[in-house]
Amino acid sequence: MPLYHTLGAIPPKRHTQFRKPDGTLYAEELVSTEGFSSLYSLVYHAYPPTIVKTLGEPYSVEPKIAREKHLKHTSLIGFNIQPEDDYLQSRKPVLVNSDLHISLAAPRKSMIDYFYKNSQADEVVFIHQGSGVLKTGFGNIKFVYGDYLVIPRGTIYQMEFDTPDNRLFIVESFSPIRPPKRYRNQYGQLMEHSPYCERDIKRPADLETHDEKGDFKILIKKQGLIYPYVYGTHPFDFIGWDGFHYPWALSIHDFEPITGRLHQPPPVHQTFEGNNFVICSFVPRKFDYHPLSIPAPYNHSNVDSDEVLYYVDGDFMSRKSVVKGQITLHPGGIPHGPHPGSVEKSIGKESTDELAVMIDPFRPLMLTEDAIKIEDENYYKSWQM
């Protein structure tokens, strides 16, 4: 998120001596993106962030593809993903391509014994059920139902949950996650027509400096492998930092819908963008107010993209039956639209309380073995009269 932020103690000038009370130097680290040409932060550690004690054997977490090519409207019953204690083991990739991986997770326990770093992708973790704290060296972010946690690649973190009942919808993006360009002016400020603004962004707070030595296990993901590292110092030893590269959060409940006299197309719901895909938020809103308007969405042929909809809560007037955590995939190449009877039924309604996350990828998605296990095999027949 292109907003300057700082926490803790930093020196007056970058790349200058910054000493501890005992006279020794703090360790400066530049965390930069796209080489030295995009967002970055400067971090000051109690110890150098390079003290590796041991390195274990890497193991694969690469998604196992079950259906690479397909042209079938598909529904996945997401809450059929079984809860597991461990955060990483609970993450099940279900829809993937070369630009992003979409996963479901139902972790029961907080991350206590290790830390995690995704060094190949930005992560957007949508909190469907649960609450807790995202802990990083940059500070902590409290999260609740409806929050999007945006965690830039290279960020070491832990998830601390308040209860065992957690449901997460996770997007791994192999390009940076950012607010759409059309919402920002030339200086990066969110403009008046944007459906959210800087006041809605939750940034890290409560910096906790862990000046500790010992054995600290960090699981690092790179190219589909997890590399078990053990470092000699605590990864959250930041004495201070400043810059534009850090984790942040946005609540779907703070997304302000754009409405009109006639049905508005999905781009008005766009919340984030990555390379070759967008993420949108469908939130409670007033329906169209033209006297002859049809609130239900029209039939649509996806020519250039697939469409993924993750149902969070509320009543969806375009579908006969929807359950929380359900995912629908409408592949590019064939039309989709409201179920029979939904169009006529929607006429005259003034508003909707639906809540959903939509992803439009511009490269076809593949289904994994974990997706096939929770598939509703008859969904493609649901438009029959």
Side-chain angles (χ1 to χ4, degrees), residues 14-56:
R14 57 187 177 183
H15 317 320
T16 58
Q17 297 177 34
F18 185 34
R19 296 187 180 275
K20 303 178 184 179
D22 66 3
T24 59
L25 288 168
Y26 289 112
E28 183 184 53
E29 178 190 11
L30 175 67
V31 182
S32 66
T33 61
E34 297 180 18
F36 291 82
S37 60
S38 192
L39 302 180
Y40 68 90
S41 289
L42 274 171
V43 173
Y44 297 88
H45 295 270
Y47 304 98
T50 52
I51 304 173
V52 178
K53 298 182 76 171
T54 62
L55 173 59

Side-chain angles (χ1 to χ4, degrees), residues 15 32 41 48 79 95 97 108-109 124 142 187 196 232 254 275 278 300 329 331 350 359 385:
H15 317 320
S32 66
S41 289
F79 277 20
L95 300 170
N97 67 15
R108 282 187 292 237
K109 293 185 178 180
V124 179
K142 294 180 180 179
Y187 304 103
Y196 58 94
D254 286 329
N275 184 45
V278 298
H300 177 218
L329 167 63
E350 295 185 354
I359 300 174
M385 303 295 287

Side-chain angles (χ1 to χ4, degrees), residues 311 337 357:
Y311 297 94
V357 178

Side-chain angles (χ1 to χ4, degrees), residues 101-330:
H101 289 177
I102 299 172
S103 298
L104 297 168
R108 282 187 292 237
K109 293 185 178 180
S110 301
M111 299 166 64
I112 298 174
D113 299 328
Y114 67 90
F115 305 82
Y116 174 60
K117 176 168 74 172
N118 192 331
S119 66
Q120 68 179 16
D122 286 19
E123 295 189 353
V124 179
V125 180
F126 178 77
I127 309 299
H128 192 167
Q129 286 185 358
S131 62
V133 180
L134 170 67
K135 293 191 169 184
T136 76
F138 294 96
N140 300 331
I141 300 176
K142 294 180 180 179
F143 60 81
V144 294
Y145 161 62
D147 280 344
Y148 292 103
L149 301 176
V150 182
I151 308 172
R153 72 200 59 202
T155 302
I156 300 173
Y157 73 87
Q158 287 182 319
M159 295 284 279
E160 182 179 281
F161 300 105
D162 293 330
T163 71
D165 301 318
N166 303 291
R167 291 282 176 176
L168 313 176
F169 178 75
I170 303 171
V171 178
E172 292 179 75
S173 171
F174 303 115
S175 60
I177 290 289
R178 290 170 181 162
K181 290 181 181 178
R182 69 178 185 279
Y183 294 164
R184 295 177 279 139
N185 61 26
Q186 61 181 319
Y187 304 103
Q189 183 181 14
L190 290 165
M191 293 191 286
E192 280 290 298
H193 69 273
S194 171
Y196 58 94
C197 73
E198 286 81 0
R199 296 183 188 182
D200 300 316
I201 302 300
K202 293 198 291 188
R203 290 177 277 177
D206 304 321
L207 182 69
E208 299 177 2
T209 303
H210 292 262
D211 186 345
E212 303 173 29
K213 295 180 179 180
D215 294 329
F216 299 92
K217 185 177 182 180
I218 303 177
L219 300 180
I220 304 176
K221 186 175 183 178
K222 183 71 179 280
Q223 296 177 304
L225 297 176
I226 294 287
Y227 293 84
Y229 270 75
V230 175
Y231 279 82
T233 57
H234 198 292
F236 300 164
D237 69 340
F238 294 24
I239 189 68
W241 67 275
D242 76 333
F244 289 72
H245 179 81
Y246 53 85
W248 53 283
L250 171 71
S251 173
I252 195 172
H253 305 298
D254 286 329
F255 185 91
E256 299 299 334
I258 298 170
T259 60
R261 271 170 48 92
L262 298 174
H263 186 83
Q264 298 295 295
V268 302
H269 306 288
Q270 188 178 348
T271 311
F272 309 110
E273 66 182 10
N275 184 45
N276 289 323
F277 74 94
V278 298
I279 301 176
C280 301
S281 300
F282 287 84
V283 302
R285 62 194 182 278
K286 292 288 187 181
F287 274 145
D288 329 309
Y289 45 88
H290 186 284
L292 296 178
S293 67
I294 299 176
Y298 35 72
N299 294 299
H300 177 218
S301 288
N302 290 357
V303 175
D304 295 315
S305 71
D306 289 358
E307 179 189 283
V308 173
L309 204 60
Y310 178 75
Y311 297 94
V312 179
D313 209 345
D315 180 29
F316 291 82
M317 64 2 192
S318 61
R319 290 283 177 267
K320 289 180 180 177
S321 62
V322 169
V323 296
K324 293 181 180 181
Q326 183 176 349
I327 296 176
T328 56
L329 167 63
H330 300 140

Side-chain angles (χ1 to χ4, degrees), residues 2-18:
L3 288 173
Y4 177 81
H5 191 41
T6 183
L7 284 175
I10 57 175
K13 297 285 287 184
R14 57 187 177 183
H15 317 320
T16 58
Q17 297 177 34
F18 185 34

